[in-house]
Amino acid sequence: MQQEQRPGRRTVLGAAAALGAGSVVLGTAGTSAATARSTASEQAGGRGGYRDLPVPTVIGHRGASGYRPEHTLGSYQFALDNGADVIEQDLVPTKDGHLVCRHENDISQTTDVAAHPEFAHRKTTKTVDGTAVTGWFTEDFTLAELKTLRAKERLPNVRQHNTLYDGRWTIPTFEEVLDWAEEQGRKRGRRVWLHSETKHPTYFRSLGLGLEERLAKLLRRYGRHRADSPQFLESFEPGSLQRLGRLGVRAPKIFLIDDLPTKPYDFVVAKDPRTVADLITPQGLKWIAGFAQGIGPTLQLIIPRDANGKLTKPTKLVGNAHAAGLVLHPWTMRNENSFLPADFRRGTDPNAYGDAFGAFQAYYATGIDGIFSDNCDTAVLAREDFRKGHKG
């Protein structure tokens, strides 16, 4: 879901600073509330719904993409083995209608497709959500053809150690992930939570490859369509979540939110004038609560960064979202200096780890309910530190 890889959605650095300082401040107020919710969740047990998850909930972003090539069974397994409470998948379709797990339908950077001469002629340029993208696209391949490809690291210059695993795994189907989650659940004696995103749903519907119907069918088959299912559904397009609701899918839904001046692509198509700035007002959040159980904002909307990349004061978004009955699952924390706020960078190597623990503490202290992280083990240890330091 990260900005630099999402066609048609602008990266507006520093834009979130326009939100100003909010009433949620770093310190005991936010942390005490989060600790209390986490304790209550653990004591609740019971139904096993999303409010029973540990708080802050650690969501393995594309699995454990800080350690293994993203959206592979190896990445998902590593995340689960290293403490992630929930594992994320991004869903795109194949030419013959199967849902597969890729961050984008353009597979140029995440597979070895360029090394397959038999597919050279399929390289093309398409307009996805208003942006021209050149590459190879899942919707031009059958599942059988995609299965001849192997996954590889998307950021080889940043995560050179991940390239060790290039070629080890194929592109998984969502059905394979559901089978994997069932198997792991049986082994562990508990349900395995998933967090699944519909990617570019308006674009794919225009191609006759609507995501929601295919997704709803699979969720029903695996019993993950109910309100208490161990399953989050996420999308940057509210219309996709609303469609899933109309299809009878009651699993908790998270509306993903980008920077202030942007708007969901289905709003662009429908000529809806509202932007993110409108949607995160109390009125906008109340509207979101009509079809979703939570929001997944960029971390910039939780604590903006200044022109030098340092954190400023938290906004009112956490408090306002909670007042509307919504949980918050912001994105995305990574350990490398290049992704961290300037306050927490260490040394001059952009690819070296910075003070990720310090950054986690700053975000956890705002009272967020969960966080997407490429490094789930770091997120879990940071949560332990956070809870030990803010008891009572």
Side-chain angles (χ1 to χ4, degrees):
M1 64 175 60
Q2 202 65 18
Q3 294 164 331
E4 79 276 2
Q5 286 294 309
R6 194 168 58 256
R9 293 186 170 92
R10 294 168 289 165
T11 300
V12 187
L13 297 177
L19 283 168
S23 60
V24 181
V25 296
L26 297 178
T28 58
T31 57
S32 296
T35 302
R37 288 198 309 277
S38 185
T39 301
S41 294
E42 290 171 352
Q43 291 174 347
R47 296 188 305 264
Y50 69 96
R51 291 192 181 274
D52 291 341
L53 286 166
V55 176
T57 303
V58 172
I59 306 160
H61 186 232
R62 311 176 198 174
S65 49
Y67 307 108
R68 300 289 187 271
E70 64 189 42
H71 289 313
T72 59
L73 288 176
S75 183
Y76 299 150
Q77 187 69 54
F78 194 94
L80 189 63
D81 290 344
N82 285 274
D85 304 304
V86 185
I87 314 297
E88 187 203 27
Q89 306 80 47
D90 295 323
L91 305 178
V92 294
T94 65
K95 182 178 182 179
D96 47 348
H98 296 275
L99 295 180
V100 295
C101 302
R102 290 288 88 188
H103 176 237
E104 290 293 345
N105 51 328
D106 175 14
I107 54 174
S108 305
Q109 302 303 314
T110 61
T111 73
D112 62 355
V113 64
H116 285 251
E118 68 273 24
F119 298 135
H121 65 287
R122 297 198 194 172
K123 187 175 185 180
T124 186
T125 299
K126 298 190 178 193
T127 299
V128 181
D129 291 4
T131 296
V133 182
T134 299
W136 288 265
F137 299 85
T138 60
E139 65 267 27
D140 295 332
F141 291 77
T142 65
L143 178 59
E145 290 172 330
L146 280 182
K147 282 295 187 179
T148 67
L149 307 179
R150 312 298 287 190
K152 68 176 186 176
E153 171 56 35
R154 183 176 62 88
L155 301 173
N157 294 327
V158 177
R159 294 167 173 169
Q160 297 179 21
H161 56 282
N162 284 15
T163 63
L164 173 65
Y165 305 98
D166 285 357
R168 191 172 185 89
W169 294 288
T170 62
I171 298 174
T173 66
F174 186 49
E175 189 167 4
E176 288 172 333
V177 173
L178 292 170
D179 286 334
W180 167 81
E182 293 290 300
E183 178 187 9
Q184 291 299 312
R186 288 191 294 271
K187 288 181 177 179
R188 296 164 188 267
R190 61 176 176 84
R191 303 188 303 174
V192 171
W193 277 81
L194 304 178
H195 213 302
S196 310
E197 179 182 351
T198 56
K199 299 291 294 192
H200 310 301
T202 293
Y203 168 78
F204 286 121
R205 186 161 296 278
S206 73
L207 301 180
L209 290 169
L211 302 175
E212 294 81 10
E213 292 79 6
R214 291 170 169 82
L215 178 54
K217 183 178 179 180
L218 282 172
L219 293 173
R220 285 196 189 89
R221 185 184 304 169
Y222 285 82
R224 287 179 171 264
H225 63 294
R226 304 182 183 92
D228 62 350
S229 295
Q231 176 73 55
F232 289 102
L233 299 168
E234 51 174 321
S235 184
F236 279 97
E237 296 188 20
S240 182
L241 299 178
Q242 291 168 330
R243 184 181 293 274
L244 284 166
R246 291 194 297 271
L247 290 169
V249 177
R250 304 303 176 204
K253 301 172 184 66
I254 305 294
F255 174 40
L256 300 172
I257 302 177
D258 208 333
D259 287 327
L260 284 177
T262 66
K263 61 173 61 179
Y265 190 69
D266 54 346
F267 279 25
V268 174
V269 173
K271 296 182 169 45
D272 189 318
R274 291 175 294 172
T275 66
V276 165
D278 300 305
L279 296 175
I280 62 173
T281 63
Q283 181 179 2
L285 292 167
K286 183 179 179 181
W287 176 76
I288 293 169
F291 62 86
Q293 285 65 51
I295 57 173
T298 171
L299 284 167
Q300 284 271 54
L301 296 180
I302 304 295
I303 312 179
R305 300 185 190 185
D306 64 20
N308 296 315
K310 292 186 176 182
L311 294 183
T312 60
K313 293 182 179 180
T315 69
K316 296 181 180 180
L317 182 56
V318 174
N320 288 342
H322 285 163
L326 298 167
V327 297
L328 297 97
H329 291 174
W331 47 274
T332 301
M333 261 294 294
R334 293 171 161 128
N335 286 359
E336 293 89 359
N337 278 323
S338 56
F339 300 114
L340 289 170
D343 325 48
F344 301 101
R345 296 170 192 161
R346 298 291 180 267
T348 59
D349 181 355
N351 300 326
Y353 281 5
D355 180 17
F357 287 112
F360 272 113
Q361 296 308 307
Y363 290 122
Y364 285 166
T366 64
I368 58 175
D369 303 277
I371 196 163
F372 285 88
S373 175
D374 285 13
N375 308 89
C376 50
D377 54 343
T378 309
V380 170
L381 285 172
R383 179 174 66 194
E384 293 177 5
D385 294 343
F386 169 74
R387 294 169 68 179
K388 287 176 183 176
H390 298 280
K391 291 181 179 179

